[in-house]
Amino acid sequence: MSSIRFKALQEAISRQPVDVELPSNKVSEFFGTNVFSYEVMQKYLSEGVLKTLKAAIENNMPIDRPTADEVAIAMKTWALEKGVTHYTHWFQPLTGATAEKHDVFLDVSPDGKVMEKFSGGQLVQQEPDASSFPSGGIRSTFEARGYTGWDPSSPAFIFGKTLCIPTIYISYTGEALDYKTPLLKALHALNNAAVPVCNYFDKNVKKVVATLGWEQEYFLVDEAMFNVRPDLVHSGRALFGANPAKGQQLEDHYFGSIPERVNEYMRDFETESYKLGIPLKTRHNEVAPNQYEVAPIFEEVNIAVDHNQLLMDLMDKIARRHHLKVLFYEKPFAGVNGSGKHNNWSMATDTGVNLLSPGKTPDSNLQFLTFFVNTIKAVHDYSDILRASIASAGNEHRLGANEAPPAIISVFIGEQLTKVLDGFEKKVKAEKSSGKKSLKLDIGHIPELMLDNTDRNRTSPFAFTGNKFEFRAVGSSANCAQSMLVLNTIVAEQLTRFKKDVDALVNKSTTTEEAIVQVLRSYITASANIRFEGNNYSEEWVKEAARRGLPNVQTTPQALEALLTDKALKLFENQGIFTKREQHARHEIQAEMYTKKIQIESRIMADMALTQIIPAALKYQNMVIDNVRGIKEIFTPSRAFAGVEVKDKALAESMNDGRYEDIADSQIAMIKEISERVSIIRNRTEQMIEERKKANKIEDTTDKAYAYCDKVKPCFDEIRYHADKLELLIDDSIWPFPKYRELLFIK
Ligand code: ADP
Ligand code: MG
């Protein structure tokens, strides 16, 4: 066996679960111990400062310097007591990872005295040397100024020996260079739009927050095997690999028992998460071998997003202790289910009402219907922008594959609510035509059992699941902020419009309730074609969606174009999320990211094909050639069989004829097959390299992304197809890297 594969296998097979020392006390006793939480603040801050800080966070107001100074001192004191030495502004640049630059809590005074120091100024703002983060042309490298600014609404936390302060990241000229800045703006916009609508029903509502509960799927592979697969190391996915004999077809992995090693790993990262205040709730196996899921209890969106980013980082780091590698890539193994990150989303008031929870009384039901219908209408009107929010090189493999929601955006609401909406639409229509002035709405009994509704449609990209919507098309490696900022922005825009529409009618002497009902009815009609209750994986739906005129955008470059339409530019500008310049920059960054990912994959593919797979194939071919040569030698009658009596007549004849080809015919066929496949792999690889060279010359980012998508990427399939066939043909002991069956099973 190739020595590196052999060593990796040996290593992986001999692994024992890592015994980590976990706290023996209850989770509630160590939950949040590494968070600068409200309870900690109560201990370390004066009452006045605490009050000012709390009010500022709640009302989204700036924090004055004296307050910041006091908070900084409190943070420092708390952190030093816990053995922390450094602090960092923790932010989410558009690379997809989190970024941090650590500074030590140290200062030297003019008289040479060394002491620990951390001031309000250092808490509030930093200027990381961040010239290499993507900015889409907003910040050219020679004016590399970017600033991080404290986000007091997400609590600081201790990671290792470092105090991490969640921050936004903006350019010198104030443009967003990260995920958090526009997300906070979108949440603010949602609040501004939703509160007045809530006030139709309840004057006491002063604040609306969006809530998010994500479900993170991931794969685990043994570290030793991961390390000898250049494709996994450099692109996060297996670019080659034939399907294993036992894949997921037995469906015995889903909810099956979790292997001991994996279990230890889970307990380890869960414990660390709890200390960081991440409220993890569930863990289980997923459909594919080695695939798992973890989900927390939902939180306010901004915090939920930070927690997801933090968890991904944590999972990656802690996997090392267990000699595991965690893969967040959307489709690491072709032929096996991919990974998503369902975004469960709702809105809640400061009076404690979940706005997407059907209530018990007609009044609360009308409020529910208002938010429910407006969300559907928003998805209907901006489905292209929502589709763009989940577009990435990785997710491209997943969307539309028969396991994940299709690239067609639609909304599932379930049978009961379909009836409610249909009834609502018709009833109101009927009542109106009968000329009655006051409407008696028979919407008092929207069943509460929606929560346990079992006819959940798991194939829908955007499904109502009882008291929240579940956006399922989000990719597993994505920062949730991307989809969340879009969803909250479009709902904010829709609610703003709703308020206008209702008020316009009220001004024409209709009652508020009547106006709400009328407007909702018109929305139900107008957005009907985005609703789909059937199987989203089916061919019929693809046809039906086309008939309805719903877009089915398969590729990332095409999906991203939705970001630059007039509609999109206006939307983001209206809601104060992005300027046109920022929006163009975002598009540029995403298109470039796509190009880079495909470019890297293509390079590794060529490398592995030419320097690992073809040599292995030729080595095996030589073995077979030797074999044929031997047969020829043996079955040449004049030599080996001279004087030997052969009983089988036909065989004797063929030997006497010297027709060793008949005896060696399957070997000869193998020699030919190897040559054919090797030649196709070589040619296609060269063609791919040529296409890459052409694409690299293209200046325009969008055109370049298209070239990578349409010209470079299609070469992957044929190269892989033949390489995978070779894997199934040639001597297992020669194959240069671990196969699926070795990668995908952890004992
Ligand atoms: P599954 O979809 O796998 O059945 P669950 O229904 O248990 O999962 O819930 C998935 C996620 O939805 C959890 O993180 C849960 O906290 C979250 N969730 C529940 N209610 C809300 C809500 N009002 N807003 C946002 N997320 C919610
Ligand atoms: Mg779910």
Side-chain angles (χ1 to χ4, degrees):
M1 186 174 290
S2 91
S3 63
I4 54 162
R5 175 166 159 233
F6 182 69
K7 263 175 73 185
L9 270 175
Q10 283 240 306
E11 224 178 303
I13 288 168
S14 59
R15 288 249 206 257
Q16 295 302 319
V18 173
D19 228 356
V20 276
E21 235 182 273
L22 298 172
S24 54
N25 46 350
K26 283 185 287 185
V27 171
S28 56
E29 283 165 26
F30 59 87
F31 188 85
T33 43
N34 289 343
V35 182
F36 191 66
S37 60
Y38 189 70
E39 289 72 45
V40 177
M41 287 189 230
Q42 276 176 320
K43 222 171 117 191
Y44 288 84
L45 287 174
S46 69
E47 216 169 289
V49 171
L50 190 62
K51 232 172 121 190
T52 317
L53 182 64
K54 197 164 172 248
I57 293 170
E58 268 163 21
N59 307 318
N60 212 358
M61 299 290 287
I63 290 166
D64 58 56
R65 185 49 63 90
T67 306
D69 276 331
E70 281 218 38
V71 175
I73 291 168
M75 270 187 194
K76 186 192 73 178
T77 312
W78 170 71
L80 290 177
E81 276 172 20
K82 291 181 87 64
V84 167
T85 54
H86 288 66
Y87 66 91
T88 182
H89 275 196
W90 182 80
F91 59 105
Q92 299 165 33
L94 296 165
T95 50
T98 53
E100 47 203 84
K101 176 192 151 222
H102 298 195
D103 282 304
V104 71
F105 282 121
L106 204 67
D107 202 34
V108 184
S109 64
D111 57 358
K113 244 174 93 184
V114 175
M115 56 185 180
E116 273 72 29
K117 198 184 159 218
F118 184 54
S119 69
Q122 287 159 314
L123 166 65
V124 170
Q125 187 178 310
Q126 296 268 302
E127 190 191 334
D129 174 22
S131 47
S132 51
F133 291 119
S135 73
I138 278 180
R139 177 179 42 66
S140 42
T141 27
F142 57 85
E143 42 164 80
R145 282 178 172 213
Y147 291 99
T148 51
W150 179 34
D151 167 19
S153 62
S154 182
F157 55 90
I158 295 170
F159 197 87
K161 292 265 175 260
T162 305
L163 171 70
C164 301
I165 298 147
T167 56
I168 58 165
Y169 177 47
I170 55 171
S171 74
Y172 182 60
T173 40
E175 278 119 344
L177 298 173
D178 68 345
Y179 286 109
K180 194 189 257 285
T181 307
L183 177 68
L184 289 175
K185 288 179 177 171
L187 295 170
H188 191 54
L190 181 80
N191 174 60
N192 286 344
V195 169
V197 174
C198 285
N199 291 154
Y200 285 140
F201 307 95
D202 180 357
K203 290 272 177 268
N204 296 320
V205 173
K206 299 212 163 47
K207 192 175 175 186
V208 170
V209 297
T211 49
L212 165 66
W214 38 262
E215 299 163 58
Q216 178 72 55
E217 293 180 337
Y218 60 98
F219 277 87
L220 289 175
V221 292
D222 186 273
E223 170 192 76
M225 290 201 273
F226 172 91
N227 284 336
V228 295
R229 293 261 337 200
D231 46 1
L232 288 181
V233 172
H234 296 286
S235 75
R237 77 166 172 124
L239 296 165
F240 296 101
N243 260 313
K246 179 181 179 291
Q248 64 191 54
Q249 63 273 57
L250 295 179
E251 297 189 338
D252 54 354
H253 189 68
Y254 194 51
F255 287 141
S257 75
I258 297 171
E260 179 66 14
R261 249 182 98 191
V262 174
N263 202 47
E264 285 300 304
Y265 166 62
M266 288 175 169
R267 289 184 345 131
D268 202 356
F269 80 68
E270 282 165 1
T271 304
E272 292 306 318
S273 302
Y274 292 142
K275 290 184 196 159
L276 287 164
I278 307 172
L280 296 184
K281 179 100 171 24
T282 51
R283 58 158 102 125
H284 62 78
N285 285 5
E286 261 303 324
V287 178
N290 281 27
Q291 194 188 23
Y292 305 93
E293 181 185 297
V294 54
I297 297 166
F298 71 92
E299 298 173 282
E300 190 275 312
V301 171
N302 179 36
I303 297 189
V305 168
D306 283 359
H307 279 168
N308 180 242
Q309 286 300 113
L310 189 53
L311 177 76
M312 288 202 285
D313 202 14
L314 198 64
M315 285 173 71
D316 187 54
K317 289 201 169 95
I318 290 182
R320 279 174 223 171
R321 278 190 223 165
H322 298 260
H323 304 290
L324 291 167
K325 262 294 185 184
V326 56
L327 304 178
F328 291 116
Y329 195 96
E330 281 74 13
K331 185 85 178 170
F333 304 104
V336 169
N337 266 22
S339 302
K341 175 147 54 195
H342 297 176
N343 278 201
N344 296 273
W345 170 90
S346 189
M347 294 160 280
T349 65
D350 56 348
T351 53
V353 175
N354 174 356
L355 292 168
L356 288 176
S357 189
K360 288 191 182 115
T361 61
D363 264 3
S364 57
N365 270 335
L366 188 57
Q367 175 170 300
F368 159 73
L369 283 174
T370 296
F371 285 92
F372 181 66
V373 171
N374 272 291
T375 305
I376 298 172
K377 179 72 164 44
V379 174
H380 171 269
D381 289 3
Y382 296 106
S383 71
D384 55 338
I385 303 175
L386 208 52
R387 167 69 184 86
S389 79
I390 48 156
S392 71
N395 220 13
E396 204 168 81
H397 298 287
R398 188 177 152 259
L399 298 179
N402 274 350
E403 48 163 293
I408 310 162
I409 299 287
S410 68
V411 181
F412 167 87
I413 61 170
E415 206 183 310
Q416 287 168 317
L417 280 168
T418 301
K419 275 194 198 133
V420 171
L421 289 202
D422 288 351
F424 188 82
E425 202 184 355
K426 283 198 200 94
K427 179 150 188 99
V428 178
K429 218 186 249 170
E431 300 226 352
K432 246 198 118 197
S433 58
S434 73
K436 274 187 205 154
K437 200 113 214 285
S438 78
L439 292 163
K440 278 214 188 62
L441 288 170
D442 186 18
I443 51 169
H445 53 260
I446 297 174
E448 275 211 301
L449 56 108
M450 276 304 298
L451 260 178
D452 297 321
N453 197 352
T454 45
D455 80 328
R456 289 222 223 147
N457 182 334
R458 299 237 161 228
T459 68
S460 174
F462 200 87
F464 187 71
T465 50
N467 57 0
K468 61 191 185 285
F469 277 100
E470 187 168 338
F471 190 18
R472 299 212 182 94
V474 183
S476 50
S477 72
N479 184 322
C480 305
Q482 183 73 7
S483 46
M484 280 297 115
L485 85 87
V486 169
L487 182 59
N488 287 293
T489 303
I490 63 178
V491 173
E493 176 76 5
Q494 177 54 45
L495 289 171
T496 312
R497 235 184 271 157
F498 173 75
K499 173 96 174 44
K500 255 192 214 141
D501 290 348
V502 170
D503 289 352
L505 284 181
V506 173
N507 288 339
K508 285 192 217 144
S509 77
T510 331
T511 68
T512 307
E513 192 186 74
E514 275 173 352
I516 291 172
V517 167
Q518 258 189 54
V519 174
L520 288 184
R521 205 202 96 216
S522 72
Y523 287 176
I524 294 171
T525 312
S527 62
N529 76 348
I530 198 84
R531 276 161 46 199
F532 179 63
E533 300 290 303
N535 177 6
N536 283 254
Y537 297 173
S538 67
E539 248 330 286
E540 294 84 73
W541 171 230
V542 175
K543 286 188 200 132
E544 165 69 10
R547 202 185 53 72
R548 292 189 192 182
L550 297 178
N552 182 2
V553 179
Q554 297 289 329
T555 72
T556 301
Q558 199 191 344
L560 293 180
E561 289 201 22
L563 298 177
L564 297 183
T565 59
D566 277 348
K567 181 175 87 174
L569 296 172
K570 262 199 207 120
L571 164 77
F572 289 112
E573 222 167 26
N574 267 355
Q575 290 299 327
I577 317 295
F578 290 128
T579 61
K580 286 200 175 80
R581 192 166 122 93
E582 284 174 306
Q583 185 68 2
H584 276 278
R586 297 261 146 175
H587 174 269
E588 178 107 355
I589 291 166
Q590 277 183 269
E592 203 175 292
M593 196 78 84
Y594 178 82
T595 295
K596 281 187 183 154
K597 292 240 159 99
I598 308 285
Q599 188 178 54
I600 292 169
E601 288 186 356
S602 163
R603 283 187 187 143
I604 297 162
M605 193 155 209
D607 194 356
M608 288 172 79
L610 299 180
T611 69
Q612 291 190 287
I613 293 169
I614 292 181
L618 295 184
K619 200 166 172 186
Y620 181 57
Q621 194 187 41
N622 277 340
M623 283 164 65
V624 183
I625 288 171
D626 266 350
N627 171 280
V628 173
R629 207 179 270 134
I631 289 174
K632 184 177 175 189
E633 199 178 292
I634 290 171
F635 293 106
T636 302
S638 58
R639 289 205 252 143
F641 282 84
V644 177
E645 193 190 340
V646 178
K647 291 223 168 74
D648 182 322
K649 247 186 154 187
L651 189 59
E653 249 166 48
S654 71
M655 286 173 180
N656 289 334
D657 288 353
R659 286 194 355 241
Y660 71 92
E661 291 100 327
D662 288 346
I663 300 166
D665 71 337
S666 55
Q667 289 90 318
I668 291 170
M670 273 155 72
I671 295 170
K672 283 188 190 152
E673 184 180 339
I674 292 173
S675 283
E676 267 169 43
R677 298 206 191 275
V678 162
S679 129
I680 298 174
I681 292 174
R682 224 198 128 71
N683 290 340
R684 283 294 165 274
T685 304
E686 269 162 14
Q687 184 192 337
M688 177 175 78
I689 294 171
E690 273 315 303
E691 291 296 352
R692 220 164 61 207
K693 280 186 189 152
K694 274 193 242 161
N696 290 345
K697 291 206 182 87
I698 300 173
E699 284 283 324
D700 182 83
T701 322
T702 305
D703 294 344
K704 196 180 200 162
Y706 268 111
Y708 266 93
C709 179
D710 299 334
K711 302 283 188 206
V712 178
K713 204 177 154 207
C715 300
F716 290 15
D717 293 341
E718 218 181 336
I719 297 171
R720 178 175 188 153
Y721 176 80
H722 292 282
D724 290 357
K725 287 283 180 206
L726 284 177
E727 183 193 313
L728 296 174
L729 181 71
I730 79 172
D731 183 351
D732 180 60
S733 69
I734 293 173
W735 196 251
F737 40 74
K739 297 180 174 182
Y740 267 30
R741 64 162 186 263
E742 292 151 353
L743 286 167
L744 284 177
F745 296 92
I746 292 176
K747 67 170 177 100

